Amino acid sequence: MSEVASGRFLARLAHVRGRLEAWLNPWLATRVEEAKTRGEAVHAVAAAVSDLALRGGKRVRAGLLATAYEACGAGDGDAVVAAGAGLELLHAYFLVHDDWMDGDDERRGAPSVPALMRARFPSKDDATSVLAGDLASAWAHRALFEVSLPAERVIEAARELARAHEQVVAGQVLDVCADARDEAQVERVYALKTASYTVRAPVVMGAKLAGAAASQSGALAAYAEPLGIAFQLRDDLLGVFGDASVTGKPSGGDLRRGKRTSLLIHALRDARAAQAIGRVLGRADASDADVAAAVEAIEASGAKARVEERIGALAVEARTALARAELTAAGRELLEDAAVALTRRER
């Protein structure tokens, strides 16, 4: 697979993003106006959620949903733009709660929703941050039910959205409360917390909305699950080795945050890397020199190469499952391209 191939999916993604935002902007404006009638505080919370949801993002989930819908032979993916918006609003919900739990003050180049709540409601910022996330979740389900397709298809898609929601919560509980000791435990969290709603839910919802056969939905789910884990493993590499000018995140930022990843577990088995990591892990005030030394030691340990190898294996697993699916030729090609785009990305 070439980078040119991934470009075909990215071009499709740009089209979906344009259509989605054209739908989402007026829809959210209506929601914010509704909130205004319910009180000034409700309006402030709704406006903050709307601002986050419209603040950009790659819109990968909406793109995968539309592509899967088309790949199952249902026609133009523009018919399911509201379902894509629902996924993006669910993503906004998770971002709000992540930023609240992690104490992050910035998201997508602007104040996070918890930071906005702290400025607006100084003594109620925790409560309003939780409620802001809850509102985004409610909007996610409301948007999905605006899809103009047969009710039974929409209900099946809603079941998949609810399943993903539940799995992400389970994955977040494991991430917050458990101390993963090996790669299998880390990947279990990734399957629940990332793969479930970043890849599996979008492609399965697209199939359900298309009225696909169970065999098609099953093959797409088998394609999505390893691809979603690979997507998160790539994120782990970018969090340590990524170019800050491209990712928008500081190099080695995951080390300062103490994020326990598959990459870290591999690296800690090497004595030199473990020593260098110990000077920076979980230390927001770690010096740039110490972070750079840790990054160098992680790569020298072979951990980066092992994670790259695992990403490659998962991508092969995804493409093998896709080969079994009965799809349109164009749709299959775009989903193959998506596997390249999601696993070889630089941001």
Side-chain angles (χ1 to χ4, degrees):
M1 286 282 170
S2 68
E3 297 302 330
V4 172
S6 70
R8 289 193 290 263
F9 175 72
L10 294 177
R12 178 62 184 144
L13 190 58
H15 169 80
V16 172
R17 183 166 57 243
R19 292 303 301 266
L20 179 138
E21 291 177 3
W23 187 93
L24 196 55
N25 271 274
W27 191 86
L28 284 173
T30 300
R31 304 287 79 75
V32 173
E33 282 300 307
E34 287 175 350
K36 189 182 292 186
T37 68
R38 295 166 181 158
E40 183 180 343
V42 180
H43 179 243
V45 170
V49 173
S50 175
D51 174 68
L52 173 64
L54 296 174
R55 205 182 284 168
K58 295 181 282 292
R59 310 303 193 191
V60 167
R61 296 160 188 83
L64 287 170
L65 186 150
T67 301
Y69 178 82
E70 294 175 1
C72 290
D76 193 341
D78 290 348
V80 291
V81 65
L87 277 167
E88 295 299 329
L89 287 164
L90 189 73
H91 182 47
Y93 153 59
F94 294 138
L95 294 181
V96 173
H97 281 190
D98 276 351
D99 289 343
W100 172 65
M101 287 184 281
D102 296 341
D104 288 338
D105 288 340
E106 186 173 316
R107 174 65 70 174
R108 293 176 176 168
S112 66
V113 169
L116 293 172
M117 294 300 96
R118 187 165 59 251
R120 178 65 178 79
F121 307 103
S123 64
K124 302 290 185 183
D125 53 313
D126 284 341
T128 51
S129 294
V130 172
L131 291 167
D134 292 344
L135 180 61
S137 174
W139 283 351
H141 295 277
R142 183 169 178 177
L144 173 58
F145 282 107
E146 298 210 13
V147 173
S148 297
L149 287 172
E152 62 272 15
R153 297 187 188 183
V154 178
I155 290 170
E156 285 299 310
R159 286 196 177 103
E160 187 62 32
L161 186 67
R163 170 182 171 159
H165 189 163
E166 180 181 357
Q167 289 183 327
V168 174
V169 171
Q172 187 74 310
V173 171
L174 290 176
D175 197 23
V176 169
C177 298
D179 186 14
R181 299 290 180 182
D182 59 38
E183 298 89 342
Q185 289 176 325
V186 170
E187 288 192 9
R188 181 186 178 208
V189 173
Y190 289 176
L192 291 168
K193 186 177 174 182
T194 303
S196 61
Y197 90 105
T198 298
V199 187
R200 182 196 160 97
V203 299
V204 174
M205 286 173 66
K208 298 292 187 182
L209 289 168
S215 58
Q216 288 176 297
S217 297
L220 285 172
Y223 154 83
E225 288 163 4
L227 185 55
I229 294 170
F231 176 89
Q232 182 59 54
L233 289 172
R234 175 60 61 196
D235 208 53
D236 292 346
L237 290 179
L238 292 174
V240 173
F241 299 101
D243 182 342
S245 66
V246 176
T247 65
K249 302 174 183 178
S251 178
D254 280 357
L255 296 174
R256 285 189 170 103
R257 290 167 61 94
K259 187 175 180 183
R260 196 162 189 87
T261 64
S262 185
L263 176 69
L264 191 67
I265 286 171
H266 281 299
L268 287 171
R269 294 178 181 139
D270 178 89
R272 175 175 172 263
Q275 186 176 30
I277 291 166
R279 288 193 288 269
V280 302
L281 189 64
R283 287 184 50 194
D285 61 348
S287 71
D288 290 345
D290 280 346
V291 170
V295 170
E296 180 185 354
I298 290 169
E299 184 162 14
S301 75
K304 180 181 179 183
R306 283 191 287 275
V307 173
E308 289 281 11
E309 183 180 355
R310 179 60 176 154
I311 291 171
L314 287 164
V316 169
E317 186 179 335
R319 288 196 295 271
T320 300
L322 189 65
R324 298 195 295 266
E326 297 179 12
L327 304 170
T328 66
R332 184 188 307 279
E333 183 177 84
L334 279 172
L335 289 169
E336 288 173 348
D337 295 351
V340 178
L342 295 184
T343 57
R344 299 185 188 174
R345 63 197 172 93
E346 296 181 353
R347 53 178 295 186

